[in-house]
mmCIF file of all heavy atoms in Angstrom:
data_model
loop_
_atom_site.group_PDB
_atom_site.id
_atom_site.type_symbol
_atom_site.label_atom_id
_atom_site.label_comp_id
_atom_site.label_asym_id
_atom_site.label_seq_id
_atom_site.Cartn_x
_atom_site.Cartn_y
_atom_site.Cartn_z
ATOM 1 N N LEU A 132 29.990 -13.259 254.420
ATOM 2 C CA LEU A 132 30.066 -13.023 252.983
ATOM 3 C C LEU A 132 29.875 -11.543 252.703
ATOM 4 O O LEU A 132 28.888 -10.941 253.134
ATOM 5 C CB LEU A 132 29.013 -13.852 252.239
ATOM 6 C CG LEU A 132 29.066 -13.772 250.709
ATOM 7 C CD1 LEU A 132 28.727 -15.118 250.088
ATOM 8 C CD2 LEU A 132 28.107 -12.704 250.185
ATOM 9 N N GLU A 133 30.835 -10.981 251.989
ATOM 10 C CA GLU A 133 30.758 -9.587 251.571
ATOM 11 C C GLU A 133 31.082 -9.490 250.082
ATOM 12 O O GLU A 133 31.847 -10.298 249.552
ATOM 13 C CB GLU A 133 31.729 -8.720 252.377
ATOM 14 C CG GLU A 133 31.412 -8.672 253.867
ATOM 15 C CD GLU A 133 32.401 -7.833 254.637
ATOM 16 O OE1 GLU A 133 33.582 -7.776 254.198
ATOM 17 O OE2 GLU A 133 32.026 -7.230 255.651
ATOM 18 N N ILE A 134 30.510 -8.501 249.431
ATOM 19 C CA ILE A 134 30.809 -8.255 248.024
ATOM 20 C C ILE A 134 31.306 -6.825 247.873
ATOM 21 O O ILE A 134 30.997 -5.957 248.705
ATOM 22 C CB ILE A 134 29.574 -8.492 247.123
ATOM 23 C CG1 ILE A 134 28.402 -7.611 247.570
ATOM 24 C CG2 ILE A 134 29.186 -9.968 247.117
ATOM 25 C CD1 ILE A 134 27.190 -7.683 246.655
ATOM 26 N N ARG A 135 32.067 -6.587 246.820
ATOM 27 C CA ARG A 135 32.577 -5.240 246.558
ATOM 28 C C ARG A 135 31.791 -4.525 245.480
ATOM 29 O O ARG A 135 31.744 -3.301 245.438
ATOM 30 C CB ARG A 135 34.053 -5.325 246.156
ATOM 31 C CG ARG A 135 34.951 -5.894 247.246
ATOM 32 C CD ARG A 135 36.389 -6.006 246.753
ATOM 33 N NE ARG A 135 37.235 -6.661 247.736
ATOM 34 C CZ ARG A 135 38.503 -6.989 247.533
ATOM 35 N NH1 ARG A 135 39.076 -6.714 246.362
ATOM 36 N NH2 ARG A 135 39.203 -7.584 248.476
ATOM 37 N N GLU A 136 31.207 -5.310 244.574
ATOM 38 C CA GLU A 136 30.451 -4.753 243.451
ATOM 39 C C GLU A 136 29.019 -5.273 243.488
ATOM 40 O O GLU A 136 28.760 -6.368 244.014
ATOM 41 C CB GLU A 136 31.100 -5.141 242.124
ATOM 42 C CG GLU A 136 32.546 -4.704 241.976
ATOM 43 C CD GLU A 136 32.687 -3.191 241.903
ATOM 44 O OE1 GLU A 136 31.715 -2.534 241.454
ATOM 45 O OE2 GLU A 136 33.758 -2.675 242.261
ATOM 46 N N PRO A 137 28.072 -4.519 242.940
ATOM 47 C CA PRO A 137 26.682 -5.012 242.891
ATOM 48 C C PRO A 137 26.572 -6.308 242.100
ATOM 49 O O PRO A 137 27.309 -6.537 241.142
ATOM 50 C CB PRO A 137 25.934 -3.865 242.184
ATOM 51 C CG PRO A 137 26.773 -2.653 242.419
ATOM 52 C CD PRO A 137 28.197 -3.143 242.421
ATOM 53 N N VAL A 138 25.647 -7.157 242.521
ATOM 54 C CA VAL A 138 25.366 -8.421 241.846
ATOM 55 C C VAL A 138 23.924 -8.374 241.356
ATOM 56 O O VAL A 138 23.004 -8.077 242.127
ATOM 57 C CB VAL A 138 25.565 -9.614 242.800
ATOM 58 C CG1 VAL A 138 25.062 -10.907 242.156
ATOM 59 C CG2 VAL A 138 27.035 -9.748 243.182
ATOM 60 N N THR A 139 23.720 -8.674 240.081
ATOM 61 C CA THR A 139 22.387 -8.638 239.483
ATOM 62 C C THR A 139 22.036 -10.018 238.947
ATOM 63 O O THR A 139 22.857 -10.674 238.298
ATOM 64 C CB THR A 139 22.334 -7.615 238.328
ATOM 65 O OG1 THR A 139 22.660 -6.318 238.840
ATOM 66 C CG2 THR A 139 20.939 -7.568 237.710
ATOM 67 N N TYR A 148 16.785 -9.517 240.799
ATOM 68 C CA TYR A 148 17.435 -9.209 242.068
ATOM 69 C C TYR A 148 18.637 -8.293 241.828
ATOM 70 O O TYR A 148 19.355 -8.447 240.839
ATOM 71 C CB TYR A 148 17.977 -10.477 242.744
ATOM 72 C CG TYR A 148 16.974 -11.561 243.057
ATOM 73 C CD1 TYR A 148 16.512 -12.420 242.060
ATOM 74 C CD2 TYR A 148 16.514 -11.760 244.354
ATOM 75 C CE1 TYR A 148 15.618 -13.439 242.347
ATOM 76 C CE2 TYR A 148 15.622 -12.778 244.653
ATOM 77 C CZ TYR A 148 15.181 -13.605 243.641
ATOM 78 O OH TYR A 148 14.294 -14.613 243.941
ATOM 79 N N VAL A 149 18.853 -7.381 242.766
ATOM 80 C CA VAL A 149 20.090 -6.607 242.826
ATOM 81 C C VAL A 149 20.577 -6.655 244.263
ATOM 82 O O VAL A 149 19.823 -6.328 245.192
ATOM 83 C CB VAL A 149 19.889 -5.149 242.384
ATOM 84 C CG1 VAL A 149 21.203 -4.374 242.535
ATOM 85 C CG2 VAL A 149 19.400 -5.061 240.957
ATOM 86 N N ALA A 150 21.824 -7.064 244.452
ATOM 87 C CA ALA A 150 22.429 -7.080 245.779
ATOM 88 C C ALA A 150 23.606 -6.119 245.783
ATOM 89 O O ALA A 150 24.435 -6.134 244.864
ATOM 90 C CB ALA A 150 22.894 -8.484 246.154
ATOM 91 N N THR A 151 23.677 -5.265 246.796
ATOM 92 C CA THR A 151 24.757 -4.299 246.917
ATOM 93 C C THR A 151 25.421 -4.454 248.277
ATOM 94 O O THR A 151 24.817 -4.992 249.217
ATOM 95 C CB THR A 151 24.229 -2.865 246.761
ATOM 96 O OG1 THR A 151 23.208 -2.632 247.750
ATOM 97 C CG2 THR A 151 23.629 -2.639 245.378
ATOM 98 N N PRO A 152 26.672 -4.002 248.414
ATOM 99 C CA PRO A 152 27.329 -4.089 249.722
ATOM 100 C C PRO A 152 26.529 -3.344 250.782
ATOM 101 O O PRO A 152 25.908 -2.317 250.505
ATOM 102 C CB PRO A 152 28.684 -3.422 249.466
ATOM 103 C CG PRO A 152 28.913 -3.545 247.992
ATOM 104 C CD PRO A 152 27.553 -3.441 247.373
ATOM 105 N N GLY A 153 26.532 -3.869 251.984
ATOM 106 C CA GLY A 153 25.790 -3.251 253.080
ATOM 107 C C GLY A 153 26.391 -3.601 254.419
ATOM 108 O O GLY A 153 27.410 -4.291 254.504
ATOM 109 N N GLU A 154 25.756 -3.138 255.465
ATOM 110 C CA GLU A 154 26.149 -3.469 256.832
ATOM 111 C C GLU A 154 25.035 -4.304 257.426
ATOM 112 O O GLU A 154 23.923 -3.821 257.644
ATOM 113 C CB GLU A 154 26.341 -2.186 257.657
ATOM 114 C CG GLU A 154 26.895 -2.419 259.050
ATOM 115 C CD GLU A 154 28.334 -2.934 259.025
ATOM 116 O OE1 GLU A 154 29.088 -2.564 258.113
ATOM 117 O OE2 GLU A 154 28.681 -3.709 259.940
ATOM 118 N N GLY A 155 25.291 -5.593 257.659
ATOM 119 C CA GLY A 155 24.217 -6.494 258.024
ATOM 120 C C GLY A 155 23.392 -6.816 256.797
ATOM 121 O O GLY A 155 23.790 -6.561 255.652
ATOM 122 N N LEU A 156 22.198 -7.360 257.009
ATOM 123 C CA LEU A 156 21.337 -7.760 255.892
ATOM 124 C C LEU A 156 20.041 -6.967 255.906
ATOM 125 O O LEU A 156 19.333 -6.932 256.912
ATOM 126 C CB LEU A 156 21.013 -9.253 255.979
ATOM 127 C CG LEU A 156 20.038 -9.801 254.928
ATOM 128 C CD1 LEU A 156 20.600 -9.644 253.514
ATOM 129 C CD2 LEU A 156 19.684 -11.254 255.200
ATOM 130 N N ARG A 157 19.741 -6.342 254.782
ATOM 131 C CA ARG A 157 18.442 -5.705 254.542
ATOM 132 C C ARG A 157 17.853 -6.318 253.288
ATOM 133 O O ARG A 157 18.557 -6.496 252.285
ATOM 134 C CB ARG A 157 18.568 -4.187 254.378
ATOM 135 C CG ARG A 157 17.233 -3.521 253.983
ATOM 136 C CD ARG A 157 17.399 -2.048 253.687
ATOM 137 N NE ARG A 157 17.581 -1.284 254.896
ATOM 138 C CZ ARG A 157 16.589 -0.782 255.638
ATOM 139 N NH1 ARG A 157 15.323 -1.017 255.288
ATOM 140 N NH2 ARG A 157 16.838 -0.074 256.708
ATOM 141 N N LEU A 254 25.732 -12.194 256.424
ATOM 142 C CA LEU A 254 25.704 -11.451 255.171
ATOM 143 C C LEU A 254 25.730 -9.951 255.428
ATOM 144 O O LEU A 254 24.970 -9.450 256.266
ATOM 145 C CB LEU A 254 24.452 -11.809 254.370
ATOM 146 C CG LEU A 254 24.227 -13.292 254.060
ATOM 147 C CD1 LEU A 254 22.863 -13.497 253.409
ATOM 148 C CD2 LEU A 254 25.330 -13.823 253.161
ATOM 149 N N ASN A 255 26.585 -9.251 254.710
ATOM 150 C CA ASN A 255 26.597 -7.788 254.720
ATOM 151 C C ASN A 255 26.114 -7.321 253.352
ATOM 152 O O ASN A 255 26.908 -7.065 252.435
ATOM 153 C CB ASN A 255 28.001 -7.249 255.014
ATOM 154 C CG ASN A 255 28.383 -7.407 256.476
ATOM 155 O OD1 ASN A 255 27.518 -7.370 257.352
ATOM 156 N ND2 ASN A 255 29.657 -7.569 256.748
ATOM 157 N N LEU A 256 24.790 -7.222 253.197
ATOM 158 C CA LEU A 256 24.179 -6.973 251.896
ATOM 159 C C LEU A 256 22.889 -6.188 252.030
ATOM 160 O O LEU A 256 22.204 -6.266 253.056
ATOM 161 C CB LEU A 256 23.816 -8.301 251.209
ATOM 162 C CG LEU A 256 24.891 -9.339 250.928
ATOM 163 C CD1 LEU A 256 24.230 -10.641 250.514
ATOM 164 C CD2 LEU A 256 25.821 -8.846 249.835
ATOM 165 N N HIS A 257 22.546 -5.456 250.989
ATOM 166 C CA HIS A 257 21.177 -4.981 250.786
ATOM 167 C C HIS A 257 20.673 -5.638 249.516
ATOM 168 O O HIS A 257 21.234 -5.436 248.430
ATOM 169 C CB HIS A 257 21.119 -3.461 250.650
ATOM 170 C CG HIS A 257 19.727 -2.934 250.464
ATOM 171 N ND1 HIS A 257 19.452 -1.652 250.068
ATOM 172 C CD2 HIS A 257 18.506 -3.534 250.630
ATOM 173 C CE1 HIS A 257 18.133 -1.474 249.985
ATOM 174 N NE2 HIS A 257 17.537 -2.606 250.322
ATOM 175 N N VAL A 258 19.645 -6.470 249.648
ATOM 176 C CA VAL A 258 19.094 -7.196 248.512
ATOM 177 C C VAL A 258 17.750 -6.578 248.133
ATOM 178 O O VAL A 258 16.859 -6.443 248.987
ATOM 179 C CB VAL A 258 18.898 -8.688 248.836
ATOM 180 C CG1 VAL A 258 18.295 -9.419 247.638
ATOM 181 C CG2 VAL A 258 20.233 -9.326 249.220
ATOM 182 N N VAL A 259 17.614 -6.191 246.888
ATOM 183 C CA VAL A 259 16.348 -5.697 246.345
ATOM 184 C C VAL A 259 15.825 -6.769 245.391
ATOM 185 O O VAL A 259 16.532 -7.170 244.461
ATOM 186 C CB VAL A 259 16.530 -4.359 245.605
ATOM 187 C CG1 VAL A 259 15.197 -3.882 245.030
ATOM 188 C CG2 VAL A 259 17.121 -3.310 246.546
ATOM 189 N N LEU A 271 20.433 -16.279 243.069
ATOM 190 C CA LEU A 271 21.080 -15.121 243.689
ATOM 191 C C LEU A 271 22.199 -15.564 244.619
ATOM 192 O O LEU A 271 23.308 -15.005 244.587
ATOM 193 C CB LEU A 271 20.052 -14.297 244.464
ATOM 194 C CG LEU A 271 20.633 -13.174 245.329
ATOM 195 C CD1 LEU A 271 21.261 -12.095 244.449
ATOM 196 C CD2 LEU A 271 19.566 -12.583 246.246
ATOM 197 N N LEU A 275 26.079 -14.527 244.395
ATOM 198 C CA LEU A 275 26.780 -13.860 245.492
ATOM 199 C C LEU A 275 28.045 -14.622 245.859
ATOM 200 O O LEU A 275 29.104 -14.025 246.093
ATOM 201 C CB LEU A 275 25.865 -13.746 246.705
ATOM 202 C CG LEU A 275 24.704 -12.758 246.593
ATOM 203 C CD1 LEU A 275 23.731 -12.955 247.746
ATOM 204 C CD2 LEU A 275 25.218 -11.330 246.565
#
Side-chain angles (χ1 to χ4, degrees):
L132 185 143
E133 296 179 330
I134 57 174
R135 298 177 185 174
E136 302 293 333
V138 171
T139 300
Y148 301 78
V149 177
T151 57
E154 186 67 32
L156 176 62
R157 174 186 286 273
L254 305 173
N255 286 329
L256 302 169
H257 181 193
V258 179
V259 179
L271 171 67
L275 289 169

